[in-house]
Amino acid sequence: MSVKFPNLLAATALMLAMPACKEVEKQDDRPETSKQFPQADRAVSQTGDTEFSTEAARDEAGEATKLMNWAAIEPGMTVADIGAGEGYYTVRLAERVGVKGRVLAQDINRGALDRLGERISRERLDNVAIKEGGIDDPRLPANSFDRIFMVHMYHEVTEPYAFIWRLRSALKSGGQVIVVDRDRATKQHGIPPKLLFCEFDAVGYRLVEFAERPEVGAYFARFERKGKAPAPAAIKTCKETAKRS
């Protein structure tokens, strides 16, 4: 005599369906413009305070000067400051590139951009423009920048593959992306260098130079485009386990 367990069978079917439902919900939370790209297989840091540290303390450590020298920022260059916040790098880059250069300050925080706009007006920085970006698209003009700065913000980008894939087209020939970050787990406001290298490589960049700078509590990395950008569906995600040797 066979005994049937309809409730048990129904519960089992529901349990098997749950992971798929959760995955669909997770996918539905993403912007439509991101869904053709893979999701990061790692944690993403919560957005931090736009005032990363006091400017005096950062200048005392020589952070901006050391980074701009290392990145070979010269008068007349066009530079984008992604995640500009209160404008620590924006104003210093504006001075370095001079009247013949240009700086585009970009952020997704409208309040920070408004405050930065007031600062730019107050300091009469005629070579600086402001632009609001998206979480998966920096919205930069094509073929426009000699350098693109991403300072202590890459670990907060919720759609990194879409974001840096779209960033490629904004570089001039020979242009470089400059990343400053900390060697920490991504949920702790940093990203291990190997994981950073892997994600940039996955969307068509090559590492040009890397330097650890303990005196400013960070590392510097420079990337250039290599070849053609891969199709979004062909991008291979980097595992969190790629993070350390």
Side-chain angles (χ1 to χ4, degrees):
M1 179 180 177
S2 62
V3 180
K4 295 183 180 180
F5 299 94
N7 292 337
L8 178 60
L9 291 173
T12 301
L14 178 61
M15 289 176 66
L16 290 173
M18 283 177 66
C21 291
K22 287 183 178 179
E23 182 60 36
V24 169
E25 288 172 3
K26 188 176 181 182
Q27 182 77 359
D28 285 346
D29 287 342
R30 305 175 71 199
E32 286 297 326
T33 51
S34 298
K35 291 181 180 178
Q36 61 182 315
F37 295 89
Q39 288 181 286
D41 189 12
R42 59 167 172 82
V44 176
S45 293
Q46 294 296 312
T47 303
D49 194 324
T50 57
E51 296 184 70
F52 178 79
S53 175
T54 65
E55 296 196 4
R58 296 175 82 172
D59 281 344
E60 187 175 349
E63 178 185 329
T65 298
K66 289 174 181 176
L67 179 56
M68 290 189 294
N69 289 344
W70 184 82
I73 303 300
E74 299 176 353
M77 279 187 166
T78 302
V79 182
D81 183 13
I82 306 297
E86 309 296 324
Y88 175 74
Y89 271 94
T90 298
V91 299
R92 287 156 180 80
L93 285 166
E95 181 179 1
R96 177 67 73 98
V97 301
V99 294
K100 293 184 178 180
R102 293 290 182 270
V103 176
L104 179 64
Q106 183 261 39
D107 207 297
I108 62 171
N109 185 323
R110 186 68 249 175
L113 288 179
D114 289 343
R115 292 189 294 275
L116 180 54
E118 293 172 2
R119 180 176 186 176
I120 289 168
S121 297
R122 186 170 62 249
E123 299 186 22
R124 298 182 180 180
L125 300 175
D126 296 332
N127 59 348
V128 176
I130 288 176
K131 186 171 183 65
E132 186 171 359
I135 65 171
D136 64 347
D137 187 349
R139 299 173 182 165
L140 300 182
N143 302 312
S144 297
F145 298 96
D146 299 292
R147 300 286 186 272
I148 297 176
F149 274 41
M150 301 176 71
V151 181
H152 294 297
M153 58 75 64
Y154 181 70
H155 54 262
E156 296 178 357
V157 178
T158 57
E159 296 287 346
Y161 295 106
F163 193 91
I164 59 177
W165 187 89
R166 292 178 171 131
L167 193 71
R168 290 176 94 259
S169 63
L171 289 168
K172 293 181 181 178
S173 177
Q176 298 178 340
V177 178
I178 310 298
V179 178
V180 178
D181 224 310
R182 292 187 170 116
D183 185 1
R184 295 178 178 173
T186 51
K187 63 184 178 182
Q188 297 175 336
H189 290 277
I191 181 168
K194 282 190 175 182
L195 185 53
L196 176 77
F197 304 161
C198 182
E199 292 186 352
F200 269 76
D201 179 72
V203 297
Y205 293 85
R206 70 179 183 91
L207 178 67
V208 176
E209 189 175 2
F210 175 79
E212 295 181 335
R213 303 306 292 260
E215 72 275 18
V216 298
Y219 62 75
F220 300 165
R222 285 206 272 179
F223 298 92
E224 289 181 351
R225 291 180 303 198
K226 64 173 183 180
K228 294 182 178 180
I235 296 171
K236 295 181 179 179
T237 57
C238 300
K239 299 290 185 181
E240 182 83 15
T241 51
K243 62 185 181 180
R244 291 183 187 273
S245 57

